[in-house]
Amino acid sequence: MRMMLQAHIEAIQGTEVLKSGRLQTTIQAFGEKFRPEATYFLNSKGMRSCLFVFDMMGLDQMPEVTEPFFQLGCEVMLGPCMTAQDLQAGLAASGL
């Protein structure tokens, strides 16, 4: 299932985990394991943020995906996302 992981970390704590190298290591490990189809880094809600779009094989992977970011002190959101084609198919199936 195509999922989007969003991780946000406030400025001071973000600086600490950047200086320690823990943030870079976590991002690299996530990329190597889950091979996201898209990765973005941005400022969102005044926090350092990253977004990953990737395939998750089952709900049992939720802790594996989120815990490394929680351990850094990140605010984490994980949920399914659609492409434009997925949306079109879903709207057609719903009769819209």
Side-chain angles (χ1 to χ4, degrees):
M1 175 184 303
R2 180 178 285 113
M3 302 291 283
M4 180 182 291
L5 171 69
Q6 302 175 49
H8 310 281
I9 191 164
E10 62 86 23
I12 293 172
Q13 188 170 12
T15 298
E16 292 170 7
V17 296
L18 275 169
K19 285 182 178 179
S20 73
R22 291 174 54 215
L23 183 59
Q24 298 91 315
T25 300
T26 299
I27 290 169
Q28 182 178 356
F30 178 85
E32 289 172 358
K33 181 152 194 158
F34 294 99
R35 302 284 183 213
E37 67 182 65
T39 301
Y40 300 98
F41 301 96
L42 60 147
N43 178 320
S44 178
K45 303 188 297 182
M47 294 188 273
R48 290 181 174 100
S49 303
C50 54
L51 306 173
F52 303 98
V53 177
F54 67 104
D55 283 324
M56 195 166 79
M57 302 313 292
L59 295 177
D60 60 318
Q61 288 185 297
M62 288 177 68
E64 181 181 13
V65 168
T66 58
E67 282 303 320
F69 292 97
F70 281 134
Q71 290 174 14
L72 296 177
C74 293
E75 177 183 306
V76 179
M77 289 165 274
L78 177 67
C81 60
M82 298 185 289
T83 64
Q85 294 82 11
D86 295 333
L87 178 59
Q88 288 176 336
L91 291 174
S94 68
L96 297 174

